[in-house]
């Protein structure tokens, strides 16, 4: 029997012919893609292509109308509240931090129940010990340090620049020690320097000492996806029009047509670097 998966293995996520309809509108049509363990896979496409819908299907916010998903080869019916237990974490568009909590408390709040309480405590439903609490706070501080924002641990999120809050949101996702991280437009609202730094960070995720993970990145920002993704899937009008390495996708005439035929931001057309 193969050994049980560890964080270093990542998760093998696959979509098989997934379709989503909103009434008469086809938002996703026969979409198949795979995020193999330890890989960074980007999903791109012009406005309205279906990227957010795809993200919402994987998170369990939107049920597919057709097709199916698998996780490590087994049937997967995503439910938002079960993702953490399966080793999946996500960051949403914007930041979504709790305004009444400090940065550190926000990160601690992202820990899975098992990580919060320690395995035995979680198993038997015992109250968390002070030692568990201290360990978790230290882990949160270490993550904030890894992401370069430890100096803001005691601050209220609202007082911080947007780019710092985005990093805090990433730390909150990582404290759950995900084997798969879903990032929804992480570069949204960031300036060019911040996007470069974000690219450096994302690139390290599959090899993090604290727990490697695969990444599915849904993003508008072409510079970011080209810099960090090993594989890309391009959606247009809900269909996969191209898939491959960033170089293969960049040279695909269907992709150029999809982007140039649409009203897209300058950086998406390659003018932002
Ligand atoms: N809840 C919904 N009800 C009805 N139509 C929807 C819903 N969500 C999305 N759509 C439609 O589905 C299509 C795909 O939208 P989606 O938001 O997934 O695209 P996107 O690629 O994320 O776009 P953008 O880059 O502009 O965020 C669009 O035509 C959109 O109007």
């Amino acid at each position: 029997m193969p050994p049980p998966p560890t964080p270093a293995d990542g998760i093998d996520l696959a979509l098989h012919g997934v379709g989503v309809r909103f009434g008469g509108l086809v938002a996703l049509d026969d979409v198949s893609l795979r995020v193999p363990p330890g890989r960074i896979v980007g999903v791109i496409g012009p406005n309205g292509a279906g990227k957010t819908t795809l993200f919402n299907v994987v998170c369990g916010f939107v049920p597919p109308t057709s097709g199916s998903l698998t996780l490590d080869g087994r049937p997967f019916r995503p439910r938002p509240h079960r993702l953490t237990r399966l080793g999946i974490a996500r960051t949403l568009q914007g930041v979504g931090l709790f305004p009444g909590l400090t940065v550190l408390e926000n990160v601690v709040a992202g820990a899975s129940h098992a990580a919060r309480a320690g395995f035995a405590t979680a198993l038997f439903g015992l109250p968390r010990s002070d030692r568990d609490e201290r360990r978790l706070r230290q882990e949160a501080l270490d993550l904030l340090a890894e992401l370069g924002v430890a100096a803001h641990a005691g601050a209220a999120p609202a007082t911080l620049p947007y780019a710092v809050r985005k990093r805090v949101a990433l730390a909150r996702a990582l404290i759950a020690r995900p084997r798969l991280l879903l990032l929804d437009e992480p570069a949204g609202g960031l300036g060019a320097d911040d996007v470069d730094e974000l690219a450096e960070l994302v690139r390290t995720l599959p090899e993090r000492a604290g727990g490697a993970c695969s990444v599915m990145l849904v993003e508008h920002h072409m510079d970011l996806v080209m810099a960090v993704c090993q594989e890309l899937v391009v959606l247009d009008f809900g269909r996969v029009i191209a898939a491959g390495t960033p170089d293969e996708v960049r040279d695909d005439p269907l992709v150029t047509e999809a982007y140039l035929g649409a009203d897209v931001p300058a950086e998406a057309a390659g003018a932002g670097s």
Side-chain angles (χ1 to χ4, degrees), residues 198-251:
L198 177 70
E200 284 302 311
L201 268 175
V202 174
R203 224 183 269 128
T204 63
L205 291 175
E207 287 142 24
R208 285 183 68 245
C213 61
S214 27
V215 179
M216 188 179 94
L217 175 68
V218 172
E219 183 56 65
H220 252 305
H221 202 295
M222 203 64 126
D223 289 348
L224 178 68
V225 289
M226 289 292 169
V228 305
C229 295
Q230 292 138 344
E231 294 165 41
L232 288 180
V233 174
V234 189
L235 294 178
D236 194 22
F237 294 109
R239 294 190 68 91
V240 174
I241 58 162
T245 65
D247 283 343
E248 287 165 352
V249 161
R250 195 193 332 247
D251 294 338

Side-chain angles (χ1 to χ4, degrees), residues 22 25 27 46-53 185 220:
F22 296 113
L25 188 140
N47 290 317
K51 303 181 295 296
T52 301
T53 304
E185 303 209 4
H220 252 305

